[in-house]
Amino acid sequence: MGRIIAIANQKGGVGKTTTAVNLAACLAVAEKPTLLIDMDPQANATSGCGVQAVEAEQGNVYHALLGHKTAASIVRPTEIGHLYLIPSHINLTGAEVEMVSMIAREQKLEGILEEIASGYEYIVVDCPPSLGLLTVNALTAADSVLIPIQCEYYALEGLGKLLNTIRLIQRHLNPKLQIAGVLLTMYDGRLNLSRQVAAEVKSYFGSKVFRTAITRNVRLAEAPSFGQPIVLYDILSPGAQNYMSLAGEVIGHG
């Protein structure tokens, strides 16, 4: 059964999707069969892997959550060998409302993954920037949660809410859920602010902070507009090296 890692933080703009796409791609480059699941209605992880909305419309995570299609039928290959994608689509926006009356609505993703998880070593889930039902589904299905935190003002704001949600899910829905680690993103060692935030995060989370920090990088910011993970767009860029290093840490944590 594959290790299921949810990438979650209800704050937008912290590098969640960038991390989901590039961590999954780097795990795949390390020849680990990896499935990336886009649970965000904005579908940025989907387009970041080169899949357009028109293609995703035919079969996406919305159809699986509502039982219209099997999970196996919506998995798509990507340009990277060993990397597969379950795409998202804007129609996922209505899923939370449609799922409200369902029995065991928090466990829909878990049920989907039971059918297919054995085919992958890693399953990476990109969560939407909220603590709604889609994120709860991801955390209920996951073995661990990776929390990206950007090295900017108010970095730790709202984290208490996320940690409280994680505790509630551990207590009521998924006792095996762990914090895989906290990832510093948009780090710039030249800036006092970046160093201060890094120190604050380390004093709060201790050994849970990944040794790898994701530095600010133009190539990393450009890659999604070309529909490519950074290892395809520019493997020699600092961003690619950062995510390869993070993938190494994730694999090393077993």
Side-chain angles (χ1 to χ4, degrees):
M1 177 105 170
R3 264 179 72 196
I4 305 168
I5 304 168
I7 315 286
N9 187 337
Q10 79 273 26
K11 277 185 82 164
V14 299
K16 254 195 314 293
T17 299
T18 302
T19 295
V21 168
N22 290 303
L23 173 60
C26 290
L27 290 167
V29 166
E31 299 191 340
K32 307 286 183 190
T34 302
L35 175 64
L36 173 62
I37 302 178
D38 190 351
M39 285 287 280
D40 187 346
Q42 294 174 68
N44 291 335
T46 300
S47 61
C49 288
V51 176
Q52 301 308 312
V54 180
E55 300 168 72
E57 204 169 353
Q58 311 309 313
N60 56 67
V61 72
Y62 167 83
H63 298 120
L65 288 170
L66 272 83
H68 301 163
K69 293 196 173 182
T70 64
S73 72
I74 58 170
V75 173
R76 309 176 62 96
T78 68
E79 282 184 68
I80 295 177
H82 302 295
L83 178 62
Y84 298 85
L85 171 73
I86 289 184
S88 181
H89 188 268
I90 192 68
N91 62 10
L92 188 60
T93 312
E96 296 204 349
V97 177
E98 292 177 63
M99 289 164 73
V100 161
S101 58
M102 289 181 165
I103 294 165
R105 59 182 182 263
E106 297 91 356
Q107 283 134 337
K108 291 297 171 195
L109 183 62
E110 189 179 13
I112 292 166
L113 291 182
E114 276 168 9
E115 296 170 37
I116 56 171
S118 59
Y120 305 95
E121 267 191 68
Y122 291 92
I123 296 169
V124 177
V125 187
D126 185 28
C127 296
S130 73
L131 295 176
L133 193 50
L134 295 172
T135 298
V136 168
N137 259 270
L139 295 175
T140 302
D143 302 305
S144 60
V145 53
L146 187 157
I147 306 169
I149 294 179
Q150 87 283 35
C151 293
E152 292 176 356
Y153 285 114
Y154 310 123
L156 296 175
E157 199 176 80
L159 259 192
K161 234 183 215 161
L162 174 63
L163 296 173
N164 195 37
T165 301
I166 291 168
R167 274 193 291 273
L168 285 169
I169 286 167
Q170 285 168 330
R171 197 172 307 142
H172 299 292
L173 292 164
N174 183 5
K176 72 179 188 302
L177 182 65
Q178 303 284 321
I179 292 179
V182 174
L183 177 68
L184 294 166
T185 62
M186 304 172 207
Y187 181 77
D188 185 341
R190 296 165 305 180
L191 298 179
N192 270 337
L193 179 62
S194 273
R195 295 199 300 273
Q196 281 167 0
V197 171
E200 202 176 336
V201 170
K202 282 172 185 162
S203 73
Y204 192 83
F205 287 101
S207 62
K208 283 285 183 197
V209 182
F210 286 105
R211 288 191 305 279
T212 305
I214 310 301
T215 50
R216 281 191 178 282
N217 181 237
V218 174
R219 305 296 275 169
L220 197 55
E222 288 171 355
S225 59
F226 291 87
Q228 291 184 326
I230 190 65
V231 286
L232 280 185
Y233 182 64
D234 185 352
I235 197 159
L236 297 176
S237 68
Q241 301 306 308
N242 290 164
Y243 278 109
M244 290 299 277
S245 167
L246 176 66
E249 280 195 67
V250 168
I251 292 165
H253 285 174

